Amino acid sequence: MLIYWLRSRHKIKTIEMSDGWWGSGERPVKGKEDESIRPFRIETSDQEIEDLHRRLDQARYTPHLEGAAFHYGFNSSYLQKVVAYWRNQFDWRKQVEVLNKYPHFKTTIEGIEIHFIHVKPSYVPHGRAVQPLLMVHGWPGSFYEFYKIIPLLTEPASHGLNEGDVVFEVICPSIPGYGFSEAPHKQGFDSVAAARIFHKLMNRLGFKEYYLQGGDWGSRITTNMAQMLPQCVKGLHLNIVFIAVRGLRKIISIMLGAYVPWLIGLTREDVHRMYPFIQKNVYDILRESGYLHIQATKPDTAGCGLNDSPVGLAAYILEKFSTWTDKSFLQKDDGGLESKYTLDELLTNVMIYWVTASIVSSMRFYKENITKDPDLNAISRVGVYVPTGIAAFPQEITHTPQVWAKEAYKNIVTYSYMPRGGHFAAFEEPKLLAQDIMNFVRKVEHL
């Protein structure tokens, strides 16, 4: 019994791989699923653009409150400017060409079509191994978030990042229900199901081992992948970590942290980012999480309005690109949006949701996950044992110090306090994120 207990203590727990079916109707009893990888191109039409323009022309606006900036949500005066640009200057056909500059594919997994882009380096230095890297987006983002970081990872030498010692081929899937990936037709599609599908995707592409990177929901999905098949995951890189603040030990550490941080393993930078604790971790989170409560309970109700109104959809999505990029942008009449992104970039992401009518199915992902795991902390009960890198951006929604991250991520190889940037790291600070990913992979490869 003692030997069994000692052996069980060191056995790594994993999430069961299992299987699923998310297509419409019953799973076919006979016949193997079509496993072909099919080239795909994004297309548009005159009818699609005319319908959009008609809806933009018919938009109704509510006057904003004087001096409100973004404190009540998206400022309606600035929204009219965004819509005017969208209607008269934004060129969707041109942006479709931009989206199609990388190779797109679709394949059927567990009854639904999975969309992804797969970018290989055009040149590989002699003797260098190409590392497969799966990058997973979140909400309200898309695969398009990675368009600026992909060339830095696949052609690093030509962008002055290194001498080519780390080179990637990058796979960016759309989460089922987001963009060009088919939405699940059944209830219950959560991050574990997405993790299983993405493992199957990588296996179908011929990869036995690969690196993972994620933020937002992508962080949870890739974490689940590492817990599910750790033998396939060479390393896991995240730009946000979700750890629940609960338990007497955690509460005591929070109380002591502002006064004797060294006693509980916090750094000065942790203290700067976490305190005053109630303001930054209760009030600020409550202010920014109203959407989460809606999407975790009745996503279809609010979603049907967003799916019918491009102006409503833009306001709902782009408000997150304001305050999640920098909390101080609440004070600005334009939400600071154009200080970090161009309107073409922001509206291209909105258009991916609009033309695919995927806002409702993307919002349902919250209900499916939070119904099963209300505090999104089930990962701590399983643990992550693969080499892990964490990039902590200062304007992220919440800060998780390394000492807390270790509760779930048992093998942290790199933990970086990033000098600037917020929630949409790959979209906002692609070079910083690319450098951190490369430093992490370099360390893992030399372990």
Side-chain angles (χ1 to χ4, degrees), residues 128-148:
R128 301 296 184 189
V130 177
Q131 304 294 343
L133 175 65
L134 180 81
M135 304 187 78
V136 185
H137 66 88
W139 187 93
S142 64
F143 66 93
Y144 177 62
E145 284 181 69
F146 302 120
Y147 267 50
K148 287 185 280 188

Side-chain angles (χ1 to χ4, degrees), residues 372-440:
K372 296 177 183 178
D373 183 15
D375 61 1
L376 295 176
N377 203 44
I379 60 166
S380 297
R381 295 190 285 274
V382 177
V384 178
Y385 294 88
V386 305
T388 302
I390 298 171
F393 285 84
Q395 290 295 330
E396 186 53 272
I397 299 167
T398 183
H399 175 70
T400 301
Q402 183 172 355
V403 67
W404 290 6
K406 285 180 180 177
E407 295 176 11
Y409 300 88
K410 312 295 186 182
N411 186 11
I412 297 176
V413 175
T414 62
Y415 183 98
S416 309
Y417 296 100
M418 308 304 283
R420 62 185 179 275
H423 187 69
F424 303 98
F427 205 35
E428 180 192 352
E429 295 288 350
K431 194 163 188 177
L432 282 180
L433 184 61
Q435 287 174 327
D436 200 70
I437 294 169
M438 288 176 181
N439 290 338
F440 164 67

Side-chain angles (χ1 to χ4, degrees), residues 142-182:
S142 64
F143 66 93
Y144 177 62
E145 284 181 69
F146 302 120
Y147 267 50
K148 287 185 280 188
I149 199 173
I150 286 172
L152 306 182
L153 296 170
T154 57
E155 314 286 346
S158 61
H159 291 86
L161 286 180
N162 61 29
E163 296 179 358
D165 61 325
V166 178
V167 180
F168 298 93
E169 60 178 294
V170 180
I171 301 92
C172 300
S174 294
I175 300 170
Y178 288 69
F180 298 98
S181 277
E182 186 178 353

